[in-house]
Amino acid sequence: MTAETKITPEIVAEHGLTRDEYKRIRQIMGREPNLVELGIFSAMWSEHCSYKSSKKWLKTLPTTAPWVICGPGENAGVVDIGDGQAIIFKMESHNHPSYIEPYQGAATGVGGILRDVFTMGARPIAMMNALRFGDPSHPKMKHLISGVVSGIGGYGNCVGVPTVGGETDFHPAYNGNILVNAMCVGLADADKIFYSAAAGIGNPVVYVGSKTGRDGIHGASMASAEFGEDAEQKRPTVQVGDPFTEKLLIEACLELMKSDAIVAIQDMGAAGLTSSSFEMADKGDAGIELWLDKVPTREVGMTPYELMLSESQERMLMVLKPGREDEARRVFEKWELDFAVIGKVTDTGRMVLKFHDAVAGDLPIKPLANGSPEYDRPWTPTPQRRPIVLPRGRDDLDTVLPTLEKLMGSPDLASRRWIWEQYDHMVMGDTVGRPGGDAAVVRIHGTQKAVAITTDVTPRYCYADPYQGGRQAIAETWRNLTATGAKPLAITDCLNFGNPEKPEIMGQLVGCIQGMAEACRALNFPVVSGNVSLYNETQGTGILPTPAIGGVGLIADVSRRADIAFKGQDHAIIVIGETRGHLGQSLYLREVLGREDGETPPVDLSVERRNGDFVRTLISEGLISTVHDVSDGGLMVALAEMALASGIGAKIDPPAFQAPLAWAFGEDQGRYVIAAPAAAADAVIAQAWVTGVPAAQIGVTGGTELTLTGAGTISLETLRSAHEGWLPGLMSTPA
């Protein structure tokens, strides 16, 4: 096909556009578009770029707080952390590419999210990832796990930014559509934030970074459609990354940012030069003229269509102040990167594309950017689940410890050491502790401050009850940060769902966002950035609704922080919050009884706020330094994780009035397990009583076993073997 190709209904359909959308395009253009223009509409109006199915609902999320410097709409969100410093962070998806080509898909996901952050003037200081794989026994799964983990490690390790944590879960719903969500956190001066709005008529538009190739063409539209049987044939749509070039690009951009030469800057992510140029022009209420024959290329004979839609990696677009081109060129050439003036800012409100002096495209800016379609898709609420009924006898006490061993070696609870040992989590020298706790802690270099970072969501909750699942995802992220002693500041989200054209799927998206919005408001925990990934389906089978949440909090004094490890012998073990034994949608129910039913555990946001604020106060006052929130697997799993993290056992006294299995493995929300020296325990419980927070001592630390009164013991060695053995065992067996 060439620019002169006649646009047929088949070509329109190949570009992922509906008949109505094409009719609208013709109205906007006042004529038939050429192929280049059609390709640009296809990319900009793709679900991946336009959020056309979710815009209506995203607008309902709270986005402001006194510490928010920049909320959604830029490359990443920005929050103030005092002392003239800001944290810049975002999470994005690279799901479809990672299924097609797991190594490059995951690697370029890391590269893309890094660029979103340093584009705004921040030095990246930490990475996280939230991964979802299918049934571990599925024939493709080991290949996908290995490729994704290698891609994340291969890119992050080479670029020199620590990968400090994340999450990895398994469920058959992801067999045909895995999820790879990457999060990056950066540090910047609060008064030196860079934005993307093009300005200054006549100012030069500059291309920097790597050359443009033919990789990644149609990447945005590919990521906006469900998979069919031809998924394997979509490899050419996956970008190829070069982390060493990305490192050079980071350093070059940050060096130029020390000057005042940059007016605007934008990463070339999804839809490459198309999205970056249109977004810059739109935000600046300007126009742009691009000279496509000036774009540096690594392949001969590239067409305007290919140049505009390539998603080649490690590229940026800038608007410079007039006369500063030579200064900028010297910086980028010093770092051995391409530099080219490829256009200028205009006052036309249009994107004019020239190729060897001929006009290859002429499009209005606004209808392709903020004026993209916005759909109010039909949606149906998810039906309410019935409560489960289980036997509640005291004779189940003997089964608690064998059940605990089984759970600790189950796919969703087993150690992720095999994964995180492939990542450099200590590079830069400011990571405090190793992965495996509630949240990672990264010191702000040269200070006593630190940021806590976490990712979380429980998809089985969201599937059973999107509204409660959305609330829970926010609340658990907030708890994870709180458990370190950090004040939760803000979140980024990555909303992964199936086909929004199905009312039941759209209902999942709406329900999750409604729950998220309510929790964010109640916890003063705004959304400052994010991403939506829809059409995560293969041959009509969708994923579990997975609104992954990335949270950031501030620890004022890193010497006053907590982690999950017991700190000594004879410390009192205290549960904060109320244990009712909710087993609906629990891992116990799924892994032990083979059931996925019941109600999602309810989330009381006022209780979350009260209990969390209390725990944070205890940490800041130096009364406790051992805290773990209770989540997947319930109380006994939390205790086992704390014991394994320290090598110190515990003696636990279960209550006489509760069914043992429900008490041990129920997933009631708003709870923490803390440990305090015996001398401080009474004061902690007294303080809780005064504050109205439920608190009860359930045991003491000591030895190298977990002892459950009335039920015997299990050695930490046995638990560790189950916990550490599953994932290496899976990955070492032949495919």
Side-chain angles (χ1 to χ4, degrees):
M1 291 188 291
T2 67
E4 291 74 38
T5 299
K6 180 173 171 58
I7 305 301
T8 64
E10 290 76 22
I11 290 173
V12 171
E14 283 173 16
H15 282 76
L17 294 161
T18 68
R19 268 190 228 169
D20 287 343
E21 286 171 342
Y22 185 64
K23 183 178 177 183
R24 184 169 168 181
I25 290 168
R26 290 179 61 185
Q27 289 170 342
I28 290 167
M29 298 291 288
R31 57 175 172 81
E32 295 274 355
N34 63 31
L35 187 65
V36 176
E37 293 163 340
L38 185 74
I40 288 170
F41 269 101
S42 166
M44 292 300 294
W45 283 11
S46 69
E47 196 72 60
H48 193 76
C49 291
S50 74
Y51 300 153
K52 55 192 177 188
S53 297
S54 56
K55 273 194 281 192
K56 172 182 174 175
W57 299 100
L58 295 176
K59 293 172 185 175
T60 66
L61 292 166
T63 59
T64 59
W67 50 87
V68 173
I69 296 173
C70 177
E74 274 293 338
N75 287 291
V78 187
V79 293
D80 193 334
I81 60 167
D83 307 310
Q85 294 176 311
I87 288 293
I88 298 179
F89 68 106
K90 188 182 182 183
M91 181 159 54
E92 277 221 346
S93 62
H94 233 223
N95 303 332
H96 289 65
S98 298
Y99 182 80
I100 297 166
E101 177 47 67
Y103 184 95
Q104 289 297 348
T108 51
V110 171
I113 198 63
L114 280 163
R115 289 193 298 280
D116 278 337
V117 166
F118 74 75
T119 295
M120 297 193 69
R123 176 171 292 282
I125 61 172
M127 299 285 302
M128 277 204 166
N129 48 78
L131 312 177
R132 298 289 183 293
F133 296 107
D135 182 341
S137 65
H138 188 279
K140 287 194 67 169
M141 214 48 58
K142 282 194 286 188
H143 164 70
L144 292 169
I145 296 166
S146 177
V148 166
V149 172
S150 297
I152 292 168
Y155 204 102
N157 295 352
C158 292
V159 85
V161 179
T163 300
V164 295
E167 55 176 342
T168 305
D169 288 335
F170 300 85
H171 192 280
Y174 305 101
N175 280 352
N177 207 124
I178 63 172
L179 302 184
V180 176
N181 296 173
M183 178 178 174
C184 181
V185 177
L187 177 67
D189 292 335
D191 60 351
K192 292 181 181 174
I193 308 298
F194 289 79
Y195 298 99
S196 59
I201 308 306
N203 280 354
V205 176
V206 172
Y207 171 117
V208 301
S210 287
K211 289 179 168 61
T212 295
R214 291 190 169 100
D215 56 318
I217 294 172
H218 294 305
S221 50
M222 175 273 292
S224 305
E226 57 184 88
F227 284 149
E229 294 180 356
D230 63 342
E232 299 291 332
Q233 298 169 23
K234 297 181 183 285
R235 279 199 173 88
T237 65
V238 179
Q239 312 91 325
V240 179
D242 179 353
F244 299 105
T245 301
E246 182 102 341
K247 174 62 175 172
L248 300 177
L249 188 59
I250 292 172
E251 299 303 332
C253 287
L254 293 178
E255 181 175 332
L256 187 61
M257 286 169 170
K258 291 177 182 175
S259 73
D260 63 346
I262 299 174
V263 174
I265 180 169
Q266 177 77 28
D267 154 50
M268 290 195 217
L273 186 53
T274 289
S275 62
S276 55
S277 58
F278 274 88
E279 287 170 12
M280 291 176 84
D282 177 61
K283 289 172 185 173
D285 292 320
I288 286 180
E289 182 176 301
L290 290 179
W291 312 318
L292 296 180
D293 47 299
K294 304 293 186 185
V295 173
T297 60
R298 64 169 184 259
E299 300 183 47
V300 297
M302 291 190 69
T303 65
Y305 184 97
E306 293 169 328
L307 292 166
M308 288 301 294
L309 294 174
S310 166
E311 295 184 10
S312 294
Q313 296 292 284
E314 294 85 39
R315 303 180 299 159
M316 310 288 277
L317 197 64
M318 297 182 184
V319 175
L320 298 181
K321 290 181 178 178
R324 307 296 291 272
E325 296 95 324
D326 288 344
E327 175 188 348
R329 184 186 302 274
R330 283 194 295 272
V331 170
F332 283 92
E333 289 183 350
K334 181 186 86 172
W335 289 99
E336 300 180 342
L337 295 166
D338 277 280
F339 177 97
V341 178
I342 66 164
K344 64 181 180 181
V345 179
T346 68
D347 62 357
T348 64
R350 299 186 70 82
M351 184 68 62
V352 178
L353 309 174
K354 292 189 174 179
F355 191 61
H356 299 303
D357 296 326
V359 175
D362 185 347
L363 304 103
I365 300 288
K366 293 294 182 184
L368 280 101
N370 271 336
S372 60
E374 180 175 331
Y375 294 136
D376 185 5
R377 296 202 184 275
W379 61 279
T380 56
T382 300
Q384 197 72 31
R385 299 292 184 113
R386 293 182 179 178
I388 61 167
V389 179
L390 292 172
R392 302 174 70 86
R394 287 295 302 169
D395 56 352
D396 293 328
L397 186 61
D398 290 344
T399 67
V400 170
L401 293 179
T403 299
L404 176 63
E405 182 181 356
K406 180 179 175 72
L407 284 173
M408 293 299 288
S410 65
D412 278 8
L413 291 174
S415 169
R416 301 309 189 230
R417 181 188 296 272
W418 182 89
I419 295 174
W420 59 256
E421 282 188 339
Q422 298 184 53
Y423 306 152
D424 190 340
H425 54 276
M426 299 303 291
V427 65
M428 300 180 80
D430 285 311
T431 307
V432 181
R434 66 183 189 182
D438 289 320
V441 176
V442 178
R443 184 184 289 104
I444 302 298
H445 193 73
T447 76
Q448 278 297 102
K449 294 189 300 190
V451 287
I453 313 161
T454 189
T455 62
D456 224 303
V457 65
T458 311
R460 63 184 186 277
Y461 293 175
C462 296
Y463 181 71
D465 185 336
Y467 173 70
Q468 285 294 350
R471 285 159 60 100
Q472 193 274 343
I474 301 296
E476 186 167 349
T477 303
W478 192 85
R479 281 200 303 273
N480 286 339
L481 298 173
T482 290
T484 68
K487 177 189 176 185
L489 294 176
I491 69 161
T492 181
D493 57 39
C494 201
L495 307 180
N496 308 275
F497 292 81
N499 183 347
E501 296 167 48
K502 297 177 180 177
E504 66 274 17
I505 302 296
M506 195 64 207
Q508 294 173 351
L509 176 64
V510 172
C512 283
I513 291 176
Q514 289 175 331
M516 289 166 55
E518 187 174 327
C520 287
R521 282 191 288 270
L523 300 172
N524 204 10
F525 200 30
V527 182
V528 297
S529 60
N531 171 241
V532 180
S533 174
L534 304 180
Y535 296 95
N536 289 288
E537 297 201 4
T538 297
Q539 298 182 30
T541 301
I543 62 165
L544 299 182
T546 311
I549 308 298
V552 168
L554 179 65
I555 299 175
D557 180 356
V558 75
S559 68
R560 292 280 177 96
R561 65 177 180 88
D563 60 33
I564 72 171
F566 293 139
K567 301 301 187 300
Q569 308 282 331
D570 300 316
H571 285 201
I573 300 170
I574 300 166
V575 177
I576 304 295
E578 192 174 2
T579 299
R580 295 181 177 178
H582 188 101
L583 287 173
Q585 297 299 328
S586 66
L587 281 184
Y588 166 80
L589 202 66
R590 189 180 84 194
E591 297 296 328
V592 179
L593 301 185
R595 296 170 54 179
E596 294 186 59
D597 59 340
E599 295 177 307
T600 292
V603 177
D604 187 322
L605 295 168
S606 62
V607 167
E608 292 282 359
R609 185 82 182 252
R610 180 197 68 195
N611 294 0
D613 289 351
F614 173 69
V615 168
R616 206 178 309 110
T617 299
L618 294 179
I619 299 169
S620 66
E621 291 177 352
L623 288 171
I624 59 172
S625 60
T626 296
V627 181
H628 192 9
D629 92 304
V630 182
S631 55
D632 281 349
L635 186 56
M636 284 301 294
V637 167
L639 288 163
E641 290 170 341
M642 297 169 85
L644 291 176
S646 60
I648 299 171
K651 181 175 182 292
I652 306 298
D653 299 312
F657 56 86
Q658 279 189 293
L661 291 170
W663 171 83
F665 305 115
E667 296 180 6
D668 309 277
Q669 300 295 294
R671 294 184 296 162
Y672 304 81
V673 179
I674 66 174
D682 289 344
V684 167
I685 290 174
Q687 199 167 320
W689 186 82
V690 169
T691 315
V693 172
Q697 182 172 344
I698 62 166
V700 295
T701 63
T704 57
E705 299 173 321
L706 271 186
T707 298
L708 191 63
T709 303
T713 66
I714 186 169
S715 70
L716 296 192
E717 185 180 352
T718 299
L719 283 174
R720 193 177 306 280
S721 177
H723 188 54
E724 299 273 3
W726 179 79
L727 190 51
L730 173 73
M731 299 308 295
S732 64
T733 56

